[in-house]
């Protein structure tokens, strides 16, 4: 394949990935993974200003691989929702760039100043 065609296919793939981006719904919020705690648990700093101990639900344990400093969607628990939550989705680096350009992560930039 020619280099032009490969570049065009790569750009189309990025556009498809960005066009299907998930956004938080209802009680869900953006979060930044601060620390892995083991046993599919992690400490996440959420966009609403709270730090929660979150887990990856059983149906996602093998599909969702996360590291520190990843941007995720967190769904707080109904009971003790200020302290605990579930990680529902992880954003790829291109999706994070898109979210930053569109202004969804403006408050998240303040967190990284710490």
């Amino acid at each position: 394949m020619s280099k032009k065609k490969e570049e065009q296919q790569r750009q189309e793939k990025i556009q498809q990935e960005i066009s299907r981006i998930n956004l938080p719904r209802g009680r869900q919020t953006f979060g930044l993974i601060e620390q892995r705690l083991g046993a599919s648990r992690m400490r996440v700093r959420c966009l609403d200003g709270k730090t929660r101990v979150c887990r990856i639900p059983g149906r996602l344990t093998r599909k969702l691989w996360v590291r520190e400093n990843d941007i995720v969607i967190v769904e707080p628990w109904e009971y003790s929702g200020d302290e605990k939550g579930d990680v529902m989705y992880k954003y790829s680096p291109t999706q994070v760039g898109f979210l930053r350009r569109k202004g969804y992560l403006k408050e998240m930039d303040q967190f990284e100043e710490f």
Side-chain angles (χ1 to χ4, degrees):
M1 258 195 261
S2 69
K3 287 189 177 187
K4 261 188 174 178
K5 197 168 192 176
E6 288 177 9
E7 180 66 24
Q8 186 179 10
Q9 286 179 346
R10 191 174 67 81
Q11 289 295 331
E12 288 175 5
K13 184 178 177 187
I14 290 172
Q15 281 303 113
Q16 285 178 349
E17 191 173 296
I18 288 174
S19 65
R20 297 187 204 148
I21 199 161
N22 290 346
L23 294 174
R25 298 181 187 169
R27 298 180 52 224
Q28 296 177 345
T29 182
F30 290 109
L32 175 72
I33 297 178
E34 286 185 336
Q35 182 181 12
R36 295 287 316 262
L37 302 174
S40 78
R41 297 197 191 298
M42 61 216 69
R43 183 169 290 120
V44 179
R45 188 180 305 174
C46 297
L47 205 60
D48 57 6
K50 299 175 181 158
T51 301
R52 294 180 170 92
V53 174
C54 296
R55 67 181 178 122
I56 299 174
R59 66 174 189 260
L60 298 175
T61 49
R62 296 185 187 256
K63 297 176 189 171
L64 191 65
W65 294 85
V66 295
R67 296 186 198 156
E68 292 180 7
N69 298 322
D70 280 347
I71 305 293
V72 294
I73 292 180
V74 174
E75 183 169 350
W77 288 3
E78 287 188 32
Y79 303 106
S80 69
D82 291 344
E83 303 160 4
K84 297 181 182 178
D86 291 333
V87 174
M88 304 308 292
Y89 185 77
K90 176 188 128 180
Y91 289 104
S92 70
T94 54
Q95 290 173 330
V96 170
F98 174 78
L99 289 171
R100 286 191 196 284
R101 282 194 309 273
K102 292 296 181 180
Y104 289 108
L105 300 178
K106 282 185 181 176
E107 294 93 14
M108 193 72 71
D109 294 333
Q110 296 170 357
F111 288 157
E112 293 174 0
E113 292 174 3
F114 287 92

